[in-house]
mmCIF file of all heavy atoms in Angstrom:
data_model
loop_
_atom_site.group_PDB
_atom_site.id
_atom_site.type_symbol
_atom_site.label_atom_id
_atom_site.label_comp_id
_atom_site.label_asym_id
_atom_site.label_seq_id
_atom_site.Cartn_x
_atom_site.Cartn_y
_atom_site.Cartn_z
ATOM 1 N N ALA A 511 -13.446 0.987 -14.031
ATOM 2 C CA ALA A 511 -12.277 0.148 -14.260
ATOM 3 C C ALA A 511 -11.027 1.016 -14.467
ATOM 4 O O ALA A 511 -9.954 0.743 -13.935
ATOM 5 C CB ALA A 511 -12.500 -0.726 -15.485
ATOM 6 N N PHE A 512 -11.214 2.079 -15.225
ATOM 7 C CA PHE A 512 -10.071 2.899 -15.537
ATOM 8 C C PHE A 512 -9.563 3.588 -14.278
ATOM 9 O O PHE A 512 -8.341 3.684 -14.058
ATOM 10 C CB PHE A 512 -10.474 3.938 -16.588
ATOM 11 C CG PHE A 512 -9.288 4.408 -17.341
ATOM 12 C CD1 PHE A 512 -8.692 3.600 -18.274
ATOM 13 C CD2 PHE A 512 -8.762 5.630 -17.095
ATOM 14 C CE1 PHE A 512 -7.582 3.995 -18.945
ATOM 15 C CE2 PHE A 512 -7.618 6.076 -17.749
ATOM 16 C CZ PHE A 512 -7.044 5.258 -18.675
ATOM 17 N N LEU A 513 -10.521 4.093 -13.488
ATOM 18 C CA LEU A 513 -10.161 4.720 -12.216
ATOM 19 C C LEU A 513 -9.393 3.782 -11.313
ATOM 20 O O LEU A 513 -8.361 4.133 -10.716
ATOM 21 C CB LEU A 513 -11.509 5.143 -11.571
ATOM 22 C CG LEU A 513 -11.629 5.407 -10.110
ATOM 23 C CD1 LEU A 513 -10.901 6.691 -9.798
ATOM 24 C CD2 LEU A 513 -13.123 5.587 -9.758
ATOM 25 N N LEU A 514 -9.865 2.541 -11.236
ATOM 26 C CA LEU A 514 -9.238 1.579 -10.317
ATOM 27 C C LEU A 514 -7.859 1.130 -10.838
ATOM 28 O O LEU A 514 -6.929 0.913 -10.082
ATOM 29 C CB LEU A 514 -10.146 0.392 -10.106
ATOM 30 C CG LEU A 514 -11.452 0.719 -9.378
ATOM 31 C CD1 LEU A 514 -12.410 -0.437 -9.402
ATOM 32 C CD2 LEU A 514 -11.129 1.092 -7.909
ATOM 33 N N PHE A 515 -7.773 1.059 -12.164
ATOM 34 C CA PHE A 515 -6.491 0.720 -12.759
ATOM 35 C C PHE A 515 -5.433 1.803 -12.441
ATOM 36 O O PHE A 515 -4.310 1.500 -12.065
ATOM 37 C CB PHE A 515 -6.655 0.576 -14.272
ATOM 38 C CG PHE A 515 -5.445 0.096 -14.986
ATOM 39 C CD1 PHE A 515 -4.926 -1.160 -14.733
ATOM 40 C CD2 PHE A 515 -4.843 0.905 -15.939
ATOM 41 C CE1 PHE A 515 -3.804 -1.598 -15.407
ATOM 42 C CE2 PHE A 515 -3.732 0.478 -16.618
ATOM 43 C CZ PHE A 515 -3.212 -0.795 -16.383
ATOM 44 N N SER A 516 -5.863 3.060 -12.529
ATOM 45 C CA SER A 516 -4.936 4.136 -12.185
ATOM 46 C C SER A 516 -4.545 4.052 -10.740
ATOM 47 O O SER A 516 -3.370 4.286 -10.374
ATOM 48 C CB SER A 516 -5.603 5.499 -12.423
ATOM 49 O OG SER A 516 -6.156 5.548 -13.715
ATOM 50 N N ALA A 517 -5.499 3.682 -9.854
ATOM 51 C CA ALA A 517 -5.166 3.562 -8.440
ATOM 52 C C ALA A 517 -4.141 2.467 -8.236
ATOM 53 O O ALA A 517 -3.215 2.568 -7.422
ATOM 54 C CB ALA A 517 -6.447 3.311 -7.636
ATOM 55 N N TYR A 518 -4.287 1.361 -9.003
ATOM 56 C CA TYR A 518 -3.350 0.260 -8.892
ATOM 57 C C TYR A 518 -1.951 0.721 -9.303
ATOM 58 O O TYR A 518 -0.940 0.435 -8.603
ATOM 59 C CB TYR A 518 -3.805 -0.899 -9.801
ATOM 60 C CG TYR A 518 -2.820 -2.031 -9.920
ATOM 61 C CD1 TYR A 518 -2.646 -2.963 -8.881
ATOM 62 C CD2 TYR A 518 -2.051 -2.189 -11.065
ATOM 63 C CE1 TYR A 518 -1.761 -4.027 -8.982
ATOM 64 C CE2 TYR A 518 -1.119 -3.222 -11.182
ATOM 65 C CZ TYR A 518 -1.007 -4.138 -10.153
ATOM 66 O OH TYR A 518 -0.083 -5.150 -10.277
ATOM 67 N N LEU A 519 -1.857 1.452 -10.388
ATOM 68 C CA LEU A 519 -0.538 1.926 -10.842
ATOM 69 C C LEU A 519 0.093 2.823 -9.799
ATOM 70 O O LEU A 519 1.300 2.744 -9.499
ATOM 71 C CB LEU A 519 -0.654 2.661 -12.177
ATOM 72 C CG LEU A 519 -1.151 1.813 -13.356
ATOM 73 C CD1 LEU A 519 -1.193 2.691 -14.614
ATOM 74 C CD2 LEU A 519 -0.255 0.612 -13.585
ATOM 75 N N ALA A 520 -0.718 3.730 -9.191
ATOM 76 C CA ALA A 520 -0.202 4.627 -8.169
ATOM 77 C C ALA A 520 0.313 3.820 -6.980
ATOM 78 O O ALA A 520 1.354 4.169 -6.374
ATOM 79 C CB ALA A 520 -1.299 5.636 -7.739
ATOM 80 N N THR A 521 -0.422 2.777 -6.618
ATOM 81 C CA THR A 521 -0.013 1.978 -5.497
ATOM 82 C C THR A 521 1.330 1.265 -5.755
ATOM 83 O O THR A 521 2.238 1.266 -4.886
ATOM 84 C CB THR A 521 -1.120 0.946 -5.204
ATOM 85 O OG1 THR A 521 -2.346 1.636 -5.010
ATOM 86 C CG2 THR A 521 -0.792 0.117 -3.975
ATOM 87 N N ILE A 522 1.455 0.684 -6.940
ATOM 88 C CA ILE A 522 2.714 0.012 -7.277
ATOM 89 C C ILE A 522 3.869 1.034 -7.236
ATOM 90 O O ILE A 522 4.951 0.733 -6.704
ATOM 91 C CB ILE A 522 2.634 -0.591 -8.724
ATOM 92 C CG1 ILE A 522 1.644 -1.764 -8.715
ATOM 93 C CG2 ILE A 522 4.020 -1.074 -9.168
ATOM 94 C CD1 ILE A 522 2.100 -2.997 -8.019
ATOM 95 N N HIS A 523 3.606 2.208 -7.756
ATOM 96 C CA HIS A 523 4.654 3.230 -7.758
ATOM 97 C C HIS A 523 5.120 3.521 -6.333
ATOM 98 O O HIS A 523 6.314 3.616 -6.054
ATOM 99 C CB HIS A 523 4.128 4.496 -8.378
ATOM 100 C CG HIS A 523 5.154 5.552 -8.502
ATOM 101 N ND1 HIS A 523 5.496 6.380 -7.451
ATOM 102 C CD2 HIS A 523 5.958 5.907 -9.491
ATOM 103 C CE1 HIS A 523 6.452 7.188 -7.814
ATOM 104 N NE2 HIS A 523 6.747 6.943 -9.071
ATOM 105 N N ASP A 524 4.165 3.610 -5.486
ATOM 106 C CA ASP A 524 4.513 3.935 -4.100
ATOM 107 C C ASP A 524 5.295 2.837 -3.424
ATOM 108 O O ASP A 524 6.222 3.093 -2.640
ATOM 109 C CB ASP A 524 3.223 4.231 -3.302
ATOM 110 C CG ASP A 524 3.545 4.953 -2.038
ATOM 111 O OD1 ASP A 524 3.922 6.138 -2.127
ATOM 112 O OD2 ASP A 524 3.518 4.316 -0.981
ATOM 113 N N ILE A 525 4.919 1.591 -3.739
ATOM 114 C CA ILE A 525 5.640 0.469 -3.131
ATOM 115 C C ILE A 525 7.083 0.444 -3.590
ATOM 116 O O ILE A 525 8.019 0.280 -2.819
ATOM 117 C CB ILE A 525 4.956 -0.868 -3.471
ATOM 118 C CG1 ILE A 525 3.559 -0.885 -2.894
ATOM 119 C CG2 ILE A 525 5.737 -2.065 -2.954
ATOM 120 C CD1 ILE A 525 2.671 -1.984 -3.447
ATOM 121 N N VAL A 526 7.284 0.677 -4.907
ATOM 122 C CA VAL A 526 8.651 0.708 -5.454
ATOM 123 C C VAL A 526 9.426 1.792 -4.734
ATOM 124 O O VAL A 526 10.606 1.602 -4.360
ATOM 125 C CB VAL A 526 8.621 0.948 -6.983
ATOM 126 C CG1 VAL A 526 10.013 1.239 -7.502
ATOM 127 C CG2 VAL A 526 8.040 -0.228 -7.675
ATOM 128 N N HIS A 527 8.773 2.926 -4.559
ATOM 129 C CA HIS A 527 9.473 4.032 -3.870
ATOM 130 C C HIS A 527 9.938 3.627 -2.485
ATOM 131 O O HIS A 527 11.070 3.870 -2.102
ATOM 132 C CB HIS A 527 8.525 5.255 -3.784
ATOM 133 C CG HIS A 527 9.142 6.345 -2.999
ATOM 134 N ND1 HIS A 527 8.967 6.483 -1.619
ATOM 135 C CD2 HIS A 527 9.945 7.362 -3.366
ATOM 136 C CE1 HIS A 527 9.648 7.522 -1.219
ATOM 137 N NE2 HIS A 527 10.243 8.074 -2.254
ATOM 138 N N GLN A 528 9.072 2.932 -1.741
ATOM 139 C CA GLN A 528 9.440 2.469 -0.404
ATOM 140 C C GLN A 528 10.638 1.517 -0.435
ATOM 141 O O GLN A 528 11.549 1.607 0.371
ATOM 142 C CB GLN A 528 8.302 1.699 0.229
ATOM 143 C CG GLN A 528 7.160 2.529 0.724
ATOM 144 C CD GLN A 528 6.099 1.555 1.209
ATOM 145 O OE1 GLN A 528 6.344 0.747 2.091
ATOM 146 N NE2 GLN A 528 4.949 1.645 0.625
ATOM 147 N N ARG A 529 10.548 0.558 -1.380
ATOM 148 C CA ARG A 529 11.606 -0.467 -1.424
ATOM 149 C C ARG A 529 12.955 0.199 -1.742
ATOM 150 O O ARG A 529 13.978 -0.135 -1.175
ATOM 151 C CB ARG A 529 11.313 -1.504 -2.526
ATOM 152 C CG ARG A 529 9.972 -2.175 -2.413
ATOM 153 C CD ARG A 529 9.977 -3.329 -1.439
ATOM 154 N NE ARG A 529 8.610 -3.619 -1.035
ATOM 155 C CZ ARG A 529 7.932 -4.752 -1.366
ATOM 156 N NH1 ARG A 529 8.498 -5.639 -2.117
ATOM 157 N NH2 ARG A 529 6.695 -4.926 -0.967
ATOM 158 N N VAL A 530 12.900 1.111 -2.715
ATOM 159 C CA VAL A 530 14.141 1.788 -3.108
ATOM 160 C C VAL A 530 14.659 2.595 -1.960
ATOM 161 O O VAL A 530 15.866 2.565 -1.637
ATOM 162 C CB VAL A 530 13.871 2.655 -4.352
ATOM 163 C CG1 VAL A 530 15.055 3.569 -4.613
ATOM 164 C CG2 VAL A 530 13.577 1.788 -5.571
ATOM 165 N N ALA A 531 13.784 3.305 -1.272
ATOM 166 C CA ALA A 531 14.214 4.131 -0.145
ATOM 167 C C ALA A 531 14.764 3.268 0.966
ATOM 168 O O ALA A 531 15.827 3.589 1.557
ATOM 169 C CB ALA A 531 13.038 4.983 0.357
ATOM 170 N N ALA A 532 14.138 2.125 1.217
ATOM 171 C CA ALA A 532 14.605 1.238 2.274
ATOM 172 C C ALA A 532 15.983 0.680 1.976
ATOM 173 O O ALA A 532 16.784 0.443 2.870
ATOM 174 C CB ALA A 532 13.613 0.097 2.489
ATOM 175 N N ALA A 533 16.295 0.495 0.658
ATOM 176 C CA ALA A 533 17.621 -0.013 0.289
ATOM 177 C C ALA A 533 18.626 1.097 0.174
ATOM 178 O O ALA A 533 19.748 0.867 -0.221
ATOM 179 C CB ALA A 533 17.497 -0.775 -1.036
ATOM 180 N N GLY A 534 18.242 2.305 0.487
ATOM 181 C CA GLY A 534 19.178 3.425 0.475
ATOM 182 C C GLY A 534 19.288 4.098 -0.852
ATOM 183 O O GLY A 534 20.124 4.986 -1.013
ATOM 184 N N GLY A 535 18.498 3.685 -1.845
ATOM 185 C CA GLY A 535 18.544 4.354 -3.140
ATOM 186 C C GLY A 535 17.558 5.501 -3.203
ATOM 187 O O GLY A 535 16.832 5.778 -2.225
ATOM 188 N N THR A 536 17.517 6.189 -4.322
ATOM 189 C CA THR A 536 16.482 7.202 -4.495
ATOM 190 C C THR A 536 15.806 6.997 -5.841
ATOM 191 O O THR A 536 16.461 6.614 -6.817
ATOM 192 C CB THR A 536 17.072 8.618 -4.486
ATOM 193 O OG1 THR A 536 18.168 8.645 -5.397
ATOM 194 C CG2 THR A 536 17.444 9.066 -3.104
ATOM 195 N N LEU A 537 14.504 7.153 -5.840
ATOM 196 C CA LEU A 537 13.764 6.928 -7.040
ATOM 197 C C LEU A 537 13.937 8.138 -7.969
ATOM 198 O O LEU A 537 13.735 9.266 -7.548
ATOM 199 C CB LEU A 537 12.275 6.805 -6.653
ATOM 200 C CG LEU A 537 11.383 6.045 -7.630
ATOM 201 C CD1 LEU A 537 11.889 4.654 -7.854
ATOM 202 C CD2 LEU A 537 9.972 6.018 -7.045
ATOM 203 N N PRO A 538 14.331 7.923 -9.219
ATOM 204 C CA PRO A 538 14.483 9.071 -10.095
ATOM 205 C C PRO A 538 13.138 9.747 -10.320
ATOM 206 O O PRO A 538 12.112 9.080 -10.387
ATOM 207 C CB PRO A 538 14.970 8.467 -11.431
ATOM 208 C CG PRO A 538 15.151 7.020 -11.213
ATOM 209 C CD PRO A 538 14.603 6.644 -9.868
ATOM 210 N N ASP A 539 13.154 11.060 -10.416
ATOM 211 C CA ASP A 539 11.925 11.793 -10.601
ATOM 212 C C ASP A 539 11.155 11.389 -11.862
ATOM 213 O O ASP A 539 9.958 11.453 -11.915
ATOM 214 C CB ASP A 539 12.227 13.312 -10.684
ATOM 215 C CG ASP A 539 12.218 13.936 -9.295
ATOM 216 O OD1 ASP A 539 12.133 13.156 -8.331
ATOM 217 O OD2 ASP A 539 12.295 15.168 -9.230
ATOM 218 N N THR A 540 11.942 10.995 -12.844
ATOM 219 C CA THR A 540 11.283 10.697 -14.152
ATOM 220 C C THR A 540 10.659 9.310 -14.162
ATOM 221 O O THR A 540 9.925 8.980 -15.078
ATOM 222 C CB THR A 540 12.303 10.747 -15.286
ATOM 223 O OG1 THR A 540 13.382 9.884 -14.937
ATOM 224 C CG2 THR A 540 12.807 12.157 -15.500
ATOM 225 N N TRP A 541 10.975 8.487 -13.175
ATOM 226 C CA TRP A 541 10.436 7.116 -13.245
ATOM 227 C C TRP A 541 8.997 7.095 -12.805
ATOM 228 O O TRP A 541 8.636 7.702 -11.803
ATOM 229 C CB TRP A 541 11.255 6.185 -12.333
ATOM 230 C CG TRP A 541 10.897 4.753 -12.553
ATOM 231 C CD1 TRP A 541 11.390 3.946 -13.534
ATOM 232 C CD2 TRP A 541 9.945 3.992 -11.830
ATOM 233 N NE1 TRP A 541 10.824 2.701 -13.452
ATOM 234 C CE2 TRP A 541 9.915 2.689 -12.421
ATOM 235 C CE3 TRP A 541 9.121 4.236 -10.738
ATOM 236 C CZ2 TRP A 541 9.104 1.693 -11.957
ATOM 237 C CZ3 TRP A 541 8.288 3.227 -10.298
ATOM 238 C CH2 TRP A 541 8.299 1.966 -10.905
ATOM 239 N N SER A 542 8.177 6.464 -13.571
ATOM 240 C CA SER A 542 6.831 6.208 -13.064
ATOM 241 C C SER A 542 6.390 4.861 -13.542
ATOM 242 O O SER A 542 6.789 4.366 -14.588
ATOM 243 C CB SER A 542 5.859 7.266 -13.554
ATOM 244 O OG SER A 542 5.488 7.012 -14.887
ATOM 245 N N PHE A 543 5.608 4.158 -12.725
ATOM 246 C CA PHE A 543 5.157 2.854 -13.104
ATOM 247 C C PHE A 543 3.939 3.000 -14.016
ATOM 248 O O PHE A 543 2.794 3.064 -13.571
ATOM 249 C CB PHE A 543 4.770 2.005 -11.885
ATOM 250 C CG PHE A 543 4.334 0.647 -12.260
ATOM 251 C CD1 PHE A 543 5.209 -0.279 -12.835
ATOM 252 C CD2 PHE A 543 3.014 0.236 -12.103
ATOM 253 C CE1 PHE A 543 4.787 -1.532 -13.168
ATOM 254 C CE2 PHE A 543 2.569 -1.025 -12.488
ATOM 255 C CZ PHE A 543 3.471 -1.909 -13.019
ATOM 256 N N SER A 544 4.211 3.179 -15.278
ATOM 257 C CA SER A 544 3.083 3.272 -16.179
ATOM 258 C C SER A 544 3.412 2.508 -17.454
ATOM 259 O O SER A 544 2.826 2.673 -18.459
ATOM 260 C CB SER A 544 2.811 4.731 -16.540
ATOM 261 O OG SER A 544 3.953 5.286 -17.200
ATOM 262 N N ASN A 545 4.401 1.580 -17.306
ATOM 263 C CA ASN A 545 4.874 0.893 -18.480
ATOM 264 C C ASN A 545 4.299 -0.517 -18.503
ATOM 265 O O ASN A 545 5.039 -1.478 -18.346
ATOM 266 C CB ASN A 545 6.389 0.863 -18.463
ATOM 267 C CG ASN A 545 6.958 0.422 -19.771
ATOM 268 O OD1 ASN A 545 6.224 0.325 -20.762
ATOM 269 N ND2 ASN A 545 8.226 0.115 -19.793
ATOM 270 N N VAL A 546 3.004 -0.604 -18.672
ATOM 271 C CA VAL A 546 2.398 -1.940 -18.806
ATOM 272 C C VAL A 546 2.481 -2.292 -20.275
ATOM 273 O O VAL A 546 1.565 -2.117 -21.050
ATOM 274 C CB VAL A 546 0.939 -1.915 -18.294
ATOM 275 C CG1 VAL A 546 0.370 -3.314 -18.357
ATOM 276 C CG2 VAL A 546 0.897 -1.376 -16.910
ATOM 277 N N ASN A 547 3.661 -2.788 -20.627
ATOM 278 C CA ASN A 547 4.069 -2.899 -21.999
ATOM 279 C C ASN A 547 3.594 -4.217 -22.614
ATOM 280 O O ASN A 547 4.133 -5.253 -22.326
ATOM 281 C CB ASN A 547 5.584 -2.774 -22.052
ATOM 282 C CG ASN A 547 6.115 -2.900 -23.456
ATOM 283 O OD1 ASN A 547 5.340 -2.962 -24.399
ATOM 284 N ND2 ASN A 547 7.402 -2.973 -23.568
ATOM 285 N N LEU A 548 2.642 -4.079 -23.496
ATOM 286 C CA LEU A 548 2.064 -5.302 -24.104
ATOM 287 C C LEU A 548 3.061 -6.075 -24.957
ATOM 288 O O LEU A 548 2.812 -7.202 -25.303
ATOM 289 C CB LEU A 548 0.866 -4.902 -24.989
ATOM 290 C CG LEU A 548 -0.453 -4.809 -24.242
ATOM 291 C CD1 LEU A 548 -1.539 -4.217 -25.168
ATOM 292 C CD2 LEU A 548 -0.915 -6.180 -23.756
#
Side-chain angles (χ1 to χ4, degrees):
Chain A
F512 204 74
L513 160 69
L514 294 170
F515 185 63
S516 309
Y518 172 77
L519 297 181
T521 304
I522 293 287
H523 183 279
D524 196 71
I525 297 166
V526 170
H527 176 269
Q528 285 176 58
R529 305 277 161 110
V530 169
T536 49
L537 203 57
D539 271 8
T540 52
W541 190 84
S542 78
F543 181 68
S544 62
N545 192 12
V546 185
N547 179 6
L548 274 172

